[in-house]
Amino acid sequence: MTYRQLWQRLVPVYGEGEAQAIARLIYEVRYGLTLSDLLMGRDSSVPQDELEQIAIRLERQEPVQYILGQADFCGRMFVVNKHVLIPRPETAELCQWIVPSKKILDIGTGSGCIAITLAAEMPEAEVTAWDISEEALKVAEENAKRTDVHVKFEQVDILHLPSSILHLTSAFDLIVSNPPYICNKERETMETNVLEHEPHTALFVPDDNPLLFYRAIAQYGQTALKEGGWLYFEINPLYAEDLRAILSKMSYYDIEIKEDQYGKQRMIRAKL
């Protein structure tokens, strides 16, 4: 199977442009072939059995990042697998919005993309990252090693905090989170590659409690943040104003909602 044959095979699933981009990525990342190599016919050296298995996985709409085992985020390459969400451009925008801080906590770190990016961009910062998933933390730790930054990773469930953590006061200058925020009722509008392959525990919240994690994190922030500390969230645009109201009632101020590059209300920050 040549590059063009793979590309054309994927068109019915992804459309012309995306199919071409995915095929290019496979040949470039997995096999180290540039566009010039492909134009010169060097794609004939690619192992055909392996390529066939890749094509089948792509036809099943498995994300190409999982097939390659990596994803680009803020100019760095992160290991990803089925235990973590694939880092997305809007999350990168959240990182770019964050003000420099000395002590940072990332809640629900997943691949570690937020925590590791902040640790790399703010070398003087002390960064801690929590996740409920042991498997996700293994991925995050590997990414920290690859990026050569220090992040303190801990297995913590924000909905059931141990007393040892609850008793820590004024521990952080900034708390950031991209928590689960998609309601089950939104499943029918989601793309198959996300719905069938990415970890549901990192995606979904109950329909009757869409701000479950935001409320828990904001409550924890009331004691864990230092005076003047910042809280940053990636958010579901459907509940942006509801979240603003909750934060205001909790005595957070300077609350600001920010749109992502697609014009959706995707981020919020507030000061305590």
Side-chain angles (χ1 to χ4, degrees), residues 61-220:
Q61 297 191 51
E62 183 176 347
V64 67
Q65 293 91 341
Y66 287 160
I67 294 172
L68 295 172
Q70 63 183 46
D72 179 76
F73 184 80
C74 290
R76 299 177 181 87
M77 201 60 68
F78 285 79
V79 172
V80 293
N81 60 28
K82 65 180 181 179
H83 300 293
V84 300
L85 292 181
I86 297 165
R88 287 170 165 78
E90 49 267 40
T91 307
E93 292 184 68
L94 175 66
C95 288
Q96 293 161 4
W97 195 32
I98 290 175
V99 297
S101 301
K102 292 183 178 180
K103 297 193 72 175
I104 298 170
L105 173 63
D106 173 26
I107 298 178
T109 195
S111 66
C113 63
I114 293 176
I116 291 166
T117 297
L118 296 181
E121 298 295 333
M122 305 175 194
E124 301 302 317
E126 181 181 323
V127 183
T128 301
W130 294 350
D131 205 284
I132 191 175
S133 167
E134 182 179 354
E135 293 299 326
L137 289 171
K138 290 178 182 177
V139 175
E141 288 169 352
E142 182 178 353
N143 281 322
K145 289 178 183 177
R146 284 170 169 251
T147 313
D148 194 24
V149 298
H150 176 72
V151 176
K152 182 180 179 181
F153 293 105
E154 299 178 330
Q155 188 173 10
V156 177
D157 180 357
I158 185 61
L159 300 182
H160 302 93
L161 291 176
S163 57
S164 58
I165 287 178
L166 285 171
H167 290 157
L168 293 175
T169 59
S170 301
F172 300 102
D173 299 294
L174 186 147
I175 295 175
V176 58
S177 183
N178 176 20
Y181 60 65
I182 302 172
C183 290
N184 284 303
K185 63 185 178 183
E186 298 177 69
R187 287 174 183 252
E188 61 186 28
T189 65
M190 295 178 64
E191 295 180 358
T192 302
N193 62 335
V194 176
L195 190 58
E196 294 188 0
H197 297 282
E198 299 200 51
H200 286 194
T201 54
L203 290 170
F204 294 109
V205 288
D207 289 343
D208 61 354
N209 197 2
L211 297 176
L212 170 67
F213 289 95
Y214 297 99
R215 189 177 285 106
I217 294 167
Q219 287 174 345
Y220 175 65

